[in-house]
Amino acid sequence: MAKVVGYINLHSDISYKGLTERRPVASVSFLGRYGIIDFVLSNMSNSNVDTVGILIKEKPRSLFKHLGNGNSWNFNSKSGGVSLLYNEKYANSPMYNHDINNIVENIAFLEKSKADYVVIAPAHIITTMNYAEVVDAHAKSGAEITMVYQKINNADEAFVGSDFLRLKGKQVMEIKNNKGNRKERNISLETYIINKKTLLKIIQYAQKVSSFFNLRDTLAYLCDERKIMAYEYKGFARCIDSYGSYYKVSMEFLDMDISTQVFKSTWPIFTNTNDTPPTKYLKNAIVKKSFVANGAVIDGEVDGCILSRNVTIGKNAVVKNCIILNGSKVCAGAHLENVIIDKDARIEKKTELIGEEEPLYVREGDVV
């Protein structure tokens, strides 16, 4: 069986307004009890990739807290586990703080591994990808580099700003930006399978070509020089690359037809567990089509919402199409629609909050 090491690549320019002011995208709360990174970590675990390095770009504190020792994701710690790779040397230098420099700064992680292949995947694209199948196809093809893509017919709406691949058969001829001007595209899922020896050579090559080149830039540059193969992924995929898409994708998961594509008994999604009591539904509680995490106390109407742990909804409050993070409180009689409330905020004085074109955001710890 091939030996595989994984990288979760957090080097992106993605932000979710205030939600990422003090935390990286990877540790933003999702569906009330998960972090966004939990999905790619679970893919690694379920695919038996037991040695995983997380390439951290910025704001590592909340990620350190969320991941702890990594045991929650069911990795075989005897053969690997999770390593947090932070590039302190270039953390405050935007042009130099990219994935290749992070790999170089933490090169011992790669060099000491006994891997034949390296899987590199982002956190902000949610899939249920079995990397073992992709690695197997990569090995059988004899390729040194394989890029994973998905063929979509709504590229004018989804994955705008992401890359797409121009293919000749199964070979990648060009990597270009999806500007949303066509519906059908072979969208890059920013997931790569690379032979370990090849990755080491690519790193050296990139540094000679441009000190500012990241891995994506380097692969795009290499299309003319190396044979880069493509693997089509046909499963569930959603790109959470903006504040708006974070809200949209979160709300999509309230549809059972969507959520059951991801939450399957054969493909568990792991996360940190918390010792919190069950949700308490009081006399006036009415809850429809919502995700409600442990520890919440509800005495009002909740419709189409995602409530994280220890959220309080006061007596006769009405909360619709909202995402409310850990420990936040909504006072009695309040009316909220299309609002995202960050953790430990309190809605007390301004009791009617309604988001318009995009959801209204209430900052962490604010009293409104």
Side-chain angles (χ1 to χ4, degrees):
M1 181 178 175
K3 295 180 180 178
V4 182
V5 66
Y7 280 117
I8 297 176
N9 191 357
L10 306 187
H11 285 269
S12 70
D13 296 324
I14 293 167
S15 67
Y16 306 154
K17 289 184 65 171
L19 287 168
T20 50
E21 184 177 341
R22 298 174 59 188
R23 57 174 79 92
V25 163
S27 60
V28 171
S29 176
F30 190 68
L31 303 183
R33 62 188 301 264
Y34 300 97
I36 287 176
I37 197 173
D38 291 343
F39 295 85
V40 65
L41 273 172
S42 297
N43 289 348
M44 293 282 184
S45 177
N46 292 327
S47 303
N48 296 316
V49 180
D50 284 320
T51 301
V52 177
I54 300 177
L55 299 171
I56 302 171
K57 179 185 179 184
E58 59 187 353
K59 306 165 191 170
R61 182 174 58 184
S62 68
L63 195 60
F64 291 162
K65 182 179 178 181
H66 179 71
L67 294 174
N69 58 14
N71 288 343
S72 297
W73 289 268
N74 202 35
F75 291 106
N76 184 345
S77 57
K78 290 184 178 180
S79 62
V82 176
S83 296
L84 303 174
L85 309 177
Y86 184 53
N87 189 358
E88 293 180 356
K89 182 178 179 181
Y90 293 123
N92 296 312
S93 180
M95 295 304 297
Y96 286 95
N97 186 16
H98 52 71
D99 46 18
I100 285 181
N101 277 345
N102 196 335
I103 293 172
V104 171
E105 189 68 11
N106 296 280
I107 197 64
F109 172 82
L110 182 59
E111 290 181 337
K112 290 181 178 179
S113 73
K114 297 179 181 179
D116 303 303
Y117 306 108
V118 182
V119 176
I120 303 172
H124 67 277
I125 298 178
I126 293 180
T127 71
T128 55
M129 194 180 301
N130 187 336
Y131 301 127
E133 294 178 355
V134 189
V135 169
D136 185 54
H138 169 82
K140 288 178 179 177
S141 73
E144 293 182 298
I145 306 168
T146 296
M147 300 183 67
V148 182
Y149 73 96
Q150 185 168 68
K151 187 180 294 184
I152 67 173
N153 57 13
N154 62 337
D156 55 335
E157 299 175 355
F159 289 92
V160 176
S162 296
D163 287 331
F164 71 91
L165 309 181
R166 188 171 67 82
L167 303 178
K168 184 177 181 180
K170 288 296 182 181
Q171 184 175 346
V172 180
M173 306 306 293
E174 194 174 16
I175 302 170
K176 301 189 72 174
N177 184 260
N178 175 33
K179 298 180 180 179
N181 54 354
R182 285 185 56 183
K183 289 190 173 184
E184 294 188 359
R185 291 291 193 196
N186 297 317
I187 293 293
S188 169
L189 298 181
E190 299 179 36
T191 300
Y192 317 122
I193 315 298
I194 306 176
N195 296 359
K196 176 185 168 181
K197 291 180 180 178
T198 302
L199 180 58
L200 290 169
K201 291 177 183 177
I202 286 174
I203 289 169
Q204 294 176 346
Y205 177 84
Q207 291 179 306
K208 291 177 182 178
V209 174
S210 172
S211 297
F212 291 170
F213 263 25
N214 59 25
L215 184 58
R216 181 268 177 205
D217 296 332
T218 307
L219 292 176
Y221 195 78
L222 282 171
C223 281
D224 291 336
E225 299 181 20
R226 281 182 177 266
K227 191 175 183 180
I228 300 176
M229 302 305 291
Y231 175 93
E232 184 180 0
Y233 169 73
K234 297 181 179 180
F236 180 92
R238 292 292 187 277
C239 182
I240 308 178
D241 60 358
S242 66
Y243 179 73
S245 61
Y246 169 77
Y247 181 78
K248 181 182 178 182
V249 174
S250 297
M251 292 296 131
E252 268 192 284
F253 271 80
L254 295 176
D255 185 337
M256 286 290 290
D257 291 337
I258 297 294
S259 60
T260 52
Q261 293 180 51
V262 176
F263 295 100
K264 300 176 285 190
S265 60
T266 56
W267 200 260
I269 306 300
F270 303 105
T271 190
N272 262 331
T273 56
N274 285 263
D275 293 328
T276 48
T279 300
K280 186 180 289 186
Y281 298 93
L282 303 182
K283 181 180 178 181
N284 300 289
I286 301 172
V287 180
K288 306 173 186 175
K289 197 179 180 181
S290 298
F291 283 151
V292 182
N294 290 353
V297 178
I298 301 174
D299 198 22
E301 182 180 347
V302 176
D303 186 358
C305 294
I306 297 168
L307 308 185
S308 296
R309 297 181 180 93
N310 301 317
V311 165
T312 300
I313 305 298
K315 183 178 179 180
N316 294 325
V318 176
V319 183
K320 295 184 178 181
N321 304 323
C322 294
I323 300 173
I324 305 179
L325 304 193
N326 294 12
S328 291
K329 297 182 179 180
V330 177
C331 73
H335 182 179
L336 276 61
E337 293 187 30
N338 305 326
V339 180
I340 296 178
I341 302 176
D342 214 327
K343 69 178 186 177
D344 297 325
R346 304 198 308 274
I347 310 303
E348 294 180 353
K349 305 295 190 300
K350 189 75 173 176
T351 56
E352 182 173 275
L353 299 176
I354 299 177
E356 300 295 341
E357 292 184 5
E358 67 173 25
L360 179 67
Y361 173 71
V362 178
R363 295 184 306 179
E364 176 182 345
D366 271 3
V367 179
V368 176

